[in-house]
Amino acid sequence: MPKVLIIGAGGQIGSELTFKLKDIHGSENVVASDIGYHNLEVVNSGIFEIVDAQDYNSIKICVEKHNIDTIYLMAAMLSATGEKYPMKAWDLNMNSLFHVLNLAKDGFIKRIFWPSSIAVFGPTTPTENTPQHTIMEPTTVYGITKQVGERWCEYYHKKYDVDVRSIRYPGIISWKTMPGGGTTDYAVEIYHQAILDKHYDCFLSEHTELPMMFMDDAINATVNLMQAPAEQVKIRSSYNLGAISFTPLTISEEIKKHIPDFKITYSPDYRQQIADSWPKSIDDSAAREDWNWNHEFNLEKMTTEMLKQLGRKYQDSEINS
């Protein structure tokens, strides 16, 4: 049974991935870690360590202490936050990747998962069914770090036979955790505000179409890629991953089927320029062919699940307050 370390386990994807991996491998074989104790649900769920993703020795000590052979590196500064703190984003996103790649190169671990993003694409990339291999000229610090990271992952695989695997995540939507400073965050916030206020003021324009994915699909894709035989993982930079694409207007109309008096307004801000540089839809045929990727949630099913779960969450919060 592999011993797994999740770095950045307190984040939006990292937290849900942690619980999924505990279900698969057993809680005793999964070590959650983060820079602090900010996600107590994760901290109290089993083995937890404080690990600084930018400190090679911090990671290495944890790896040796728990005999880790697989690392999921989920720590990162996302697109919108990265534009506010460009050098911090570069340092965190790049240093953490090099530390983990070098641990694998030197034989301390056997396998790595590192997430990339649709942010690797830019305004010169074809926006409809964006191909696996295409022009990449990202315009954000986050996108630049992910594009560079992809190149280093492929380099370490070819040069040092490092078993590193990666997915270009689209926007991720979850009811369990709040988003962490990304340009697609509106697609989570809108559900919360629909229940709380029946109104949402969106920071993107109504016709801004972006690729999105429900969290359950993103977690399943991650696990499926990591469980695939090495010979099936033919792309070692990062796989395109798609599921659904929609606009703020489209999602608001779907919400109105459940909450008829919901209203949306639009106040585009600096994130609009970021969104305009990204694809509208993704060609993920390589992932579907190589390791049988397939998504389960469409917009209708996702909206039903989001409103149901958030409704329960806020009702429970009122009862306990």
Side-chain angles (χ1 to χ4, degrees):
M1 187 66 69
K3 294 279 285 186
V4 174
L5 171 64
I6 304 105
I7 300 174
Q12 185 193 21
I13 301 176
S15 57
E16 298 198 35
L17 179 63
T18 297
F19 290 106
K20 180 71 171 181
L21 293 174
K22 287 176 183 288
D23 289 341
I24 294 170
H25 302 299
S27 185
E28 70 280 5
N29 293 308
V30 176
V31 179
S33 74
D34 215 309
I35 193 77
Y37 296 107
H38 55 277
N39 188 327
L40 291 179
E41 187 179 9
V42 171
V43 172
N44 295 326
S45 67
I47 306 169
F48 183 85
E49 297 280 1
I50 295 293
V51 171
D52 182 354
Q54 296 194 71
D55 183 345
Y56 176 85
N57 287 325
S58 178
I59 302 171
K60 184 171 178 283
I61 288 168
C62 186
V63 165
E64 293 182 319
K65 177 180 177 181
H66 295 282
N67 197 27
I68 299 296
D69 60 19
T70 301
I71 289 181
Y72 291 77
L73 176 56
M74 310 307 293
M77 189 176 290
L78 302 183
S79 58
T81 308
E83 292 307 287
K84 297 178 181 178
Y85 310 103
M87 290 313 300
K88 288 183 179 179
W90 175 264
D91 289 343
L92 171 59
N93 296 359
M94 296 311 304
N95 290 340
S96 59
L97 175 58
F98 274 121
H99 294 333
V100 173
L101 287 172
N102 285 325
L103 283 168
K105 176 176 74 74
D106 295 336
F108 291 101
I109 57 174
K110 296 178 180 177
R111 185 172 296 176
I112 298 166
F113 177 81
W114 173 79
S116 188
S117 164
I118 58 170
V120 297
F121 303 119
T124 55
T125 303
T127 58
E128 302 282 351
N129 292 317
T130 300
Q132 174 67 50
H133 302 288
T134 187
I135 298 168
M136 290 184 184
E137 293 182 333
T139 56
T140 64
V141 177
Y142 178 63
I144 292 167
T145 64
K146 290 301 181 182
Q147 185 196 29
V148 173
E150 286 189 15
R151 305 271 45 85
W152 279 113
C153 286
E154 188 172 72
Y155 180 86
Y156 269 71
H157 174 70
K158 290 182 176 179
K159 183 86 171 178
Y160 307 115
D161 199 29
V162 169
D163 187 355
V164 57
R165 306 177 183 203
S166 179
I167 285 169
R168 291 172 184 152
Y169 285 130
I172 306 297
I173 300 170
S174 169
W175 60 268
K176 292 183 181 178
T177 53
M178 291 300 290
T183 302
T184 56
D185 286 0
Y186 90 86
V188 178
E189 294 172 358
I190 192 171
Y191 289 111
H192 288 265
Q193 295 306 118
I195 292 172
L196 293 173
D197 299 329
K198 297 184 180 178
H199 171 256
Y200 179 62
D201 188 40
C202 186
F203 56 75
L204 298 181
S205 65
E206 60 181 331
H207 298 302
T208 304
E209 184 177 5
L210 290 169
M212 300 283 187
M213 179 175 292
F214 192 53
M215 179 66 83
D216 291 22
D217 281 334
I219 297 299
N220 286 335
T222 303
V223 170
N224 291 345
L225 174 60
M226 291 298 281
Q227 291 181 338
E231 62 271 15
Q232 290 184 4
V233 185
K234 299 173 183 176
I235 294 171
R236 296 296 182 148
S237 52
S238 192
Y239 276 96
N240 271 6
L241 200 70
I244 49 180
S245 291
F246 53 78
T247 67
L249 178 61
T250 309
I251 194 173
S252 68
E253 293 299 320
E254 193 63 39
I255 290 172
K256 285 179 183 178
K257 294 177 183 178
H258 301 262
I259 306 174
D261 51 349
F262 172 70
K263 290 182 173 58
I264 185 169
T265 52
Y266 303 94
S267 302
D269 63 15
Y270 68 98
R271 288 167 284 194
Q272 183 66 52
Q273 187 175 4
I274 299 173
D276 289 343
S277 73
W278 288 356
K280 296 178 180 178
S281 57
I282 297 292
D283 176 2
D284 60 358
S285 54
R288 294 177 187 271
E289 292 170 6
D290 289 356
W291 42 277
N292 301 316
W293 153 246
N294 194 21
H295 69 283
E296 180 185 349
F297 285 82
N298 58 19
L299 178 58
E300 181 181 4
K301 185 175 181 180
M302 180 182 73
T303 298
T304 299
E305 183 70 6
M306 286 290 292
L307 293 176
K308 179 180 76 173
Q309 296 293 350
L310 286 175
R312 289 175 179 172
K313 192 174 183 179
Y314 285 116
Q315 186 177 37
D316 290 344
S317 178
E318 288 179 6
I319 291 172
N320 295 326
S321 63

